[in-house]
Amino acid sequence: MLAAVGSAVGLGNIWKFPYITGEYGGGAFVLVYLITVMLVGFSVMIAEMLIGYLGRRDCVANFETLAPRHKERWKYAGWMGLTGSLVMIYYSVVIGWIFHYIMVAITQLPATVEQAETVFGAMLTQHIGTQLFYHTIAFLITTAVVAKGIKGGIEKFNMVLIPALMGILAVMFVYATTLDGFSQAVGYMFTPDWSKLDSEAFVNAVGHAFFTLSLGMGAIMIYSASLPKEGSLVKSSLFVIAGDTIIALVAGLVLFTFLFQYGSEPGKGPGLVFISLPAVFYEMGAIGNVFSVLFFLGLAFAGLTSAVSLVEPMVQYLIDKFDMSRLKAAVTMGLFFYLLGIVAILSQIEWSAPYLTWGGKNFFDWADYMTSSVLLPIAGLVMAVFVGYVIEKERVASVLKPQMGWFFPVWYFSLRYIAPVALVIVMLNLMGVIVF
Ligand code: TRP
């Protein structure tokens, strides 16, 4: 369960959630996101957990063993799930930036937003060496932890980093509540402005709900495969969802409080925590210095515990399928993502970017777009359909009815109808068929 929380709580909560909330204007987006998390996220998480709990193997083998007919065809569903791991291509690069920013926070914070923009821009488009160095460290840590396995590596790693992250956020949150900007932040996040909500915001809210809960790529599935037989899927999923949502909301409130307090803009895009925030920390004086180091440290912790879960499903697959040793599988997958990560870095560097940009998006952006907006929702849909329509209802009910009681039909309905409809709308929107 701790491993699942570590997977869910990541850059998605602290880096992505605040900046997309800023881009789509706050309140209305937050509301749609919360509703999606509860309706679609909850239903699909239970479904993904159930596949792992019943199958007890890797993502592909689970689909094969559980499909009553057409084993051959369903193995592609497992493959589909594994492709979500491609998130790791850019995830590890961003963790690298965070490492670099821990150093920036320790040595010299930029004094103004303009300066911060220059510092970030230079790192992104010119300093290959810096990015490469920290990306390498992120790769080494992740691979080392995954090589030690779920019990010996991932769990122990999470046991230290997650409480540390929560402690850091709690201290910053308490401080934020004493500032005037806090009430403004609350207003911004919880007063819906419907005029800002278009179909793009809706698609992003659904995509982000999947991303932040680590759904649709076998991470949650792998972890529930090691849940004890008497463990409750419902309790575990509620625990993960609650933890993930609380951390996203707290991180959002803290960041927006600081930004508003010092007259900064919330709609800065992906640069929010790397541009606006460092300048704000600078203005805060001594306490800002301490907070900036703690903040980037916490962000690094959140990222690392998720990164291991992005690599683990593929590693598990290699071990199961090809009888590889864990060490060899971890190194193989680590290197694979490491090399593609270098391509992602190069795709933003001034001189190499033109060769790695297609249709207005560079390789880095494509990796993000293809995974969060396309692969994860499709894989989520496949999992919902698999549990909702393919596995026999009696089998599903035999595990979940005792855990859910009267709620079982509600969940089953939501899994069979609400989640697929929401996901199909997302896909049609992506293809440009429905735009609202
Ligand atoms: N949930 C993580 C975050 O919010 C990212 C992540 C980890 C993820 N594992 C995943 C996303 C699996 C999708 C699928 O940062």
Side-chain angles (χ1 to χ4, degrees), residues 170-201:
V171 170
M172 292 177 68
F173 182 72
V174 170
Y175 178 75
T177 55
T178 66
L179 301 178
D180 296 335
F182 186 71
S183 53
Q184 222 178 322
V186 173
Y188 182 74
M189 280 183 65
F190 299 109
T191 318
D193 172 0
W194 297 109
S195 67
K196 292 260 175 58
L197 202 76
D198 52 7
S199 54
E200 193 188 314

XYZ file of all heavy atoms in Angstrom, residues 170-201:
249
model
N 3.822 19.632 5.284
C 3.043 20.066 6.443
C 3.616 21.362 7.018
O 2.872 22.300 7.312
C 3.021 18.966 7.508
N 4.932 21.433 7.151
C 5.548 22.644 7.701
C 5.233 23.839 6.801
O 4.836 24.919 7.270
C 7.084 22.459 7.804
C 7.769 23.787 8.137
C 7.416 21.403 8.838
N 5.368 23.638 5.489
C 5.127 24.754 4.579
C 3.658 25.165 4.586
O 3.327 26.338 4.471
C 5.585 24.386 3.164
C 7.102 24.262 3.108
S 7.761 23.744 1.524
C 7.410 25.106 0.513
N 2.781 24.162 4.758
C 1.351 24.453 4.766
C 0.984 25.295 5.993
O 0.275 26.294 5.883
C 0.554 23.144 4.761
C -0.929 23.347 4.711
C -1.539 23.799 3.545
C -1.724 23.090 5.817
C -2.914 23.996 3.483
C -3.096 23.282 5.774
C -3.690 23.738 4.600
N 1.515 24.897 7.147
C 1.220 25.652 8.370
C 1.697 27.096 8.199
O 0.983 28.044 8.516
C 1.890 24.987 9.597
C 1.804 25.897 10.813
C 1.228 23.645 9.876
N 2.867 27.260 7.656
C 3.366 28.614 7.441
C 2.461 29.375 6.469
O 2.111 30.541 6.697
C 4.806 28.574 6.913
C 5.377 29.944 6.627
C 5.771 30.781 7.676
C 5.486 30.417 5.322
C 6.277 32.047 7.418
C 5.988 31.682 5.055
C 6.380 32.499 6.108
O 6.876 33.751 5.853
N 2.041 28.701 5.385
C 1.207 29.361 4.377
C -0.095 29.877 4.986
O -0.571 30.955 4.623
C 0.911 28.401 3.219
N -0.685 29.099 5.946
C -1.966 29.537 6.513
C -1.823 30.856 7.272
O -2.810 31.537 7.503
C -2.560 28.488 7.491
O -1.583 28.201 8.484
C -2.961 27.221 6.784
N -0.610 31.240 7.669
C -0.449 32.496 8.400
C -0.335 33.700 7.456
O -0.294 34.834 7.903
C 0.826 32.475 9.274
O 1.959 32.422 8.402
C 0.855 31.279 10.211
N -0.257 33.455 6.157
C -0.089 34.576 5.217
C -1.436 35.033 4.659
O -2.390 34.251 4.597
C 0.815 34.140 4.057
C 2.228 33.658 4.399
C 2.951 33.218 3.138
C 3.019 34.741 5.115
N -1.490 36.284 4.215
C -2.736 36.815 3.642
C -3.076 36.115 2.329
O -4.241 35.948 1.981
C -2.591 38.307 3.332
C -2.367 39.111 4.599
O -2.796 38.617 5.676
O -1.749 40.189 4.512
N -2.042 35.736 1.587
C -2.260 35.097 0.288
C -3.054 33.803 0.399
O -3.607 33.317 -0.590
N -3.136 33.239 1.618
C -3.785 31.941 1.781
C -5.255 31.978 1.386
O -5.735 31.112 0.656
C -3.638 31.452 3.228
C -4.151 30.060 3.444
C -3.463 28.971 2.926
C -5.330 29.822 4.144
C -3.939 27.670 3.112
C -5.806 28.534 4.326
C -5.108 27.458 3.820
N -5.982 33.027 1.847
C -7.414 33.059 1.538
C -7.617 33.265 0.034
O -8.556 32.739 -0.560
C -8.126 34.151 2.334
O -7.462 35.371 2.138
N -6.695 33.994 -0.568
C -6.775 34.188 -2.015
C -6.565 32.853 -2.743
O -7.247 32.534 -3.706
C -5.665 35.150 -2.436
C -6.070 36.173 -3.451
C -4.878 37.090 -3.727
O -4.113 37.442 -2.830
N -4.716 37.466 -4.989
N -5.619 32.069 -2.223
C -5.338 30.769 -2.826
C -6.546 29.846 -2.701
O -6.915 29.148 -3.645
C -4.113 30.133 -2.162
N -7.184 29.867 -1.523
C -8.367 29.039 -1.323
C -9.450 29.456 -2.313
O -10.073 28.630 -2.978
C -8.894 29.150 0.129
C -10.225 28.437 0.292
C -7.871 28.590 1.106
N -9.654 30.768 -2.434
C -10.652 31.276 -3.374
C -10.341 30.845 -4.798
O -11.216 30.396 -5.534
N -9.086 30.946 -5.156
C -8.668 30.609 -6.516
C -8.911 29.138 -6.829
O -9.393 28.784 -7.904
C -7.183 30.924 -6.679
C -6.650 30.664 -8.057
C -6.964 31.519 -9.113
C -5.833 29.575 -8.308
C -6.481 31.285 -10.387
C -5.343 29.331 -9.578
C -5.663 30.188 -10.616
O -5.183 29.948 -11.869
N -8.598 28.282 -5.863
C -8.710 26.854 -6.128
C -10.122 26.312 -5.993
O -10.449 25.280 -6.567
C -7.766 26.063 -5.225
C -6.349 26.093 -5.748
S -5.227 25.118 -4.759
C -5.847 23.472 -5.017
N -10.953 26.983 -5.187
C -12.257 26.377 -4.929
C -13.454 27.201 -5.404
O -14.587 26.837 -5.136
C -12.385 26.014 -3.444
C -11.347 25.019 -3.019
C -10.296 25.368 -2.187
C -11.396 23.714 -3.508
C -9.323 24.448 -1.824
C -10.433 22.783 -3.157
C -9.391 23.162 -2.310
N -13.227 28.310 -6.098
C -14.366 29.026 -6.680
C -14.346 28.787 -8.181
O -13.455 29.271 -8.871
C -14.252 30.547 -6.434
O -13.808 30.754 -5.097
C -15.573 31.247 -6.663
N -15.305 27.987 -8.675
C -15.251 27.635 -10.092
C -15.568 28.814 -11.021
O -16.518 29.547 -10.775
C -16.317 26.545 -10.243
C -16.988 26.406 -8.936
C -16.385 27.339 -7.956
N -14.752 28.989 -12.042
C -15.039 29.973 -13.073
C -15.297 29.170 -14.343
O -14.379 28.766 -15.044
C -13.810 30.884 -13.240
C -13.956 31.818 -14.435
O -15.000 31.755 -15.126
O -13.028 32.600 -14.680
N -16.603 28.908 -14.603
C -16.952 27.958 -15.666
C -16.539 28.435 -17.057
O -16.390 27.641 -17.971
C -18.435 27.622 -15.637
C -18.796 26.939 -14.355
C -19.524 27.458 -13.331
C -18.397 25.627 -13.935
N -19.599 26.550 -12.299
C -18.932 25.419 -12.644
C -17.641 24.596 -14.516
C -18.736 24.240 -11.935
C -17.450 23.417 -13.800
C -17.988 23.260 -12.539
N -16.356 29.756 -17.193
C -16.039 30.258 -18.533
C -14.674 29.757 -19.005
O -14.388 29.706 -20.191
C -16.027 31.787 -18.511
O -14.943 32.229 -17.712
N -13.841 29.345 -18.031
C -12.500 28.888 -18.410
C -12.488 27.417 -18.813
O -11.469 26.877 -19.206
C -11.546 29.061 -17.214
C -11.270 30.493 -16.849
C -9.915 30.916 -17.416
C -9.607 32.374 -17.208
N -9.623 32.787 -15.810
N -13.652 26.747 -18.614
C -13.632 25.303 -18.791
C -14.071 24.906 -20.190
O -15.234 24.887 -20.502
C -14.547 24.653 -17.757
C -14.193 23.203 -17.505
C -12.960 23.093 -16.651
C -15.341 22.486 -16.852
N -13.110 24.564 -21.058
C -13.487 24.080 -22.389
C -13.150 22.597 -22.486
O -12.782 21.975 -21.496
C -12.732 24.879 -23.457
C -11.252 24.897 -23.187
O -10.809 24.189 -22.260
O -10.532 25.618 -23.894
N -13.276 22.038 -23.693
C -13.060 20.596 -23.790
C -11.607 20.227 -23.516
O -11.313 19.158 -23.003
C -13.490 20.088 -25.160
O -12.837 20.812 -26.173
N -10.713 21.134 -23.834
C -9.306 20.833 -23.574
C -9.063 20.663 -22.073
O -8.360 19.748 -21.630
C -8.449 21.974 -24.122
C -6.983 21.631 -24.191
C -6.146 22.854 -24.555
O -6.540 23.572 -25.485
O -5.121 23.064 -23.888
N -9.695 21.545 -21.299
C -9.548 21.450 -19.847
C -10.122 20.131 -19.351
O -9.536 19.458 -18.503
C -10.250 22.619 -19.173
